[in-house]
């Protein structure tokens, strides 16, 4: 179920401004102090964590009408941001100062409901991530990622790189390349430079369940 922010309320507030950012813009880095909360109007933001060995894993993505619950937590608890937030596409959004985020948590029921709904949704997605890391083999996770990305972008032709997928799945480029070759050998996908063509969506779905 899509969570709807209290836009009527927000648009009446002089403190709320709008922002635009091109693709591949880093919005917040690990260790930053969170001065604002952004609600995405259009576009997609990736929130990831970088391990000590340099490997990256996607924690979640922020889409239309969503915001970053980690940022909200950092504002409320006065802690630094523990991840990296980077735009995947061009993004527009509403910017809310940290002071207002905290003030409205005390005074505005609709704002409380929005943030708590975001928290509940995000906790569910993070539990799914932990389950997949702990219990699902990497080749199945890769097939599932390809399906989800195809649905998200509404296309069977994915413009991506093996390194990007490795970052998404907390793996290495070499391992992902080998597994993609295996899926291509099974005629589930086709590989070309910078692109992956999904040939058999239902076959990928079946592969995930094996």
């Amino acid at each position: 179920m899509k969570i709807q922010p209290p836009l009527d309320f927000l648009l009446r507030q002089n403190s709320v401004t709008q922002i635009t950012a091109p693709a591949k813009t880093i919005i917040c880095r690990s260790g930053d102090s969170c001065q604002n909360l952004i609600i995405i109007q259009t576009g997609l933001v990736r929130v990831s964590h970088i391990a000590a060995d340099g490997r990256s894993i996607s924690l979640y993505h922020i889409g239309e009408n969503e915001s970053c619950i980690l940022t909200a937590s950092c504002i409320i608890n006065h802690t630094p941001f523990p991840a990296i937030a980077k735009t995947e596409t061009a993004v527009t959004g509403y910017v809310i100062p940290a002071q207002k985020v905290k003030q409205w948590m005390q005074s505005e029921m609709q704002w409380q409901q929005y943030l708590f709904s975001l928290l509940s949704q995000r906790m569910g997605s993070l539990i799914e991530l932990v389950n997949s890391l702990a219990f699902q083999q990497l080749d199945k996770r890769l097939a599932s990622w390809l399906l989800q990305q195809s649905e998200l972008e509404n296309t069977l032709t994915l413009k991506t790189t093996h390194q990007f997928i490795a970052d998404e799945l907390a793996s290495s480029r070499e391992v992902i390349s080998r597994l993609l070759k295996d899926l291509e050998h099974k005629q589930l996908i086709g590989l070309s430079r910078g692109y992956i063509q999904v040939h058999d969506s239902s076959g990928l779905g079946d592969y995930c369940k094996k």
Side-chain angles (χ1 to χ4, degrees), residues 162 177 180-182 184 189-193 195-197 199:
H162 296 192
S177 294
L180 285 171
K181 281 289 186 184
D182 187 52
E184 183 180 43
I189 63 171
L191 300 176
S192 58
R193 187 173 180 84
Y195 292 91
I196 297 175
Q197 181 74 34
H199 290 325

Side-chain angles (χ1 to χ4, degrees), residues 165-177:
I165 299 174
D167 291 343
E168 287 279 284
L169 300 180
S171 183
S172 68
R173 181 182 59 79
E174 293 77 11
V175 171
I176 293 299
S177 294

Side-chain angles (χ1 to χ4, degrees), residues 2-58:
K2 284 288 185 180
I3 298 173
Q4 296 297 324
L7 290 181
D8 289 343
F9 167 75
L10 293 176
L11 293 175
R12 293 197 302 269
Q13 310 304 314
N14 293 330
S15 56
V16 175
T17 57
Q18 289 188 287
I19 189 175
T20 61
K24 309 305 179 185
T25 299
I26 295 178
I27 298 175
C28 201
R29 300 177 185 272
S30 181
D32 284 355
S33 174
C34 298
Q35 303 298 320
N36 301 285
L37 182 69
I38 299 175
I39 295 178
I40 302 301
Q41 186 179 14
T42 61
L44 192 68
V45 174
R46 175 184 182 235
V47 179
S48 60
H49 177 70
I50 307 296
D53 62 2
R55 289 190 299 168
S56 169
I57 184 170
S58 288

Side-chain angles (χ1 to χ4, degrees), residues 42-75:
T42 61
L44 192 68
V45 174
R46 175 184 182 235
V47 179
S48 60
H49 177 70
I50 307 296
D53 62 2
R55 289 190 299 168
S56 169
I57 184 170
S58 288
L59 299 177
Y60 52 83
H61 292 80
I62 309 169
E64 180 182 348
N65 292 328
E66 296 179 339
S67 189
C68 179
I69 201 64
L70 274 179
T71 301
S73 175
C74 292
I75 288 172

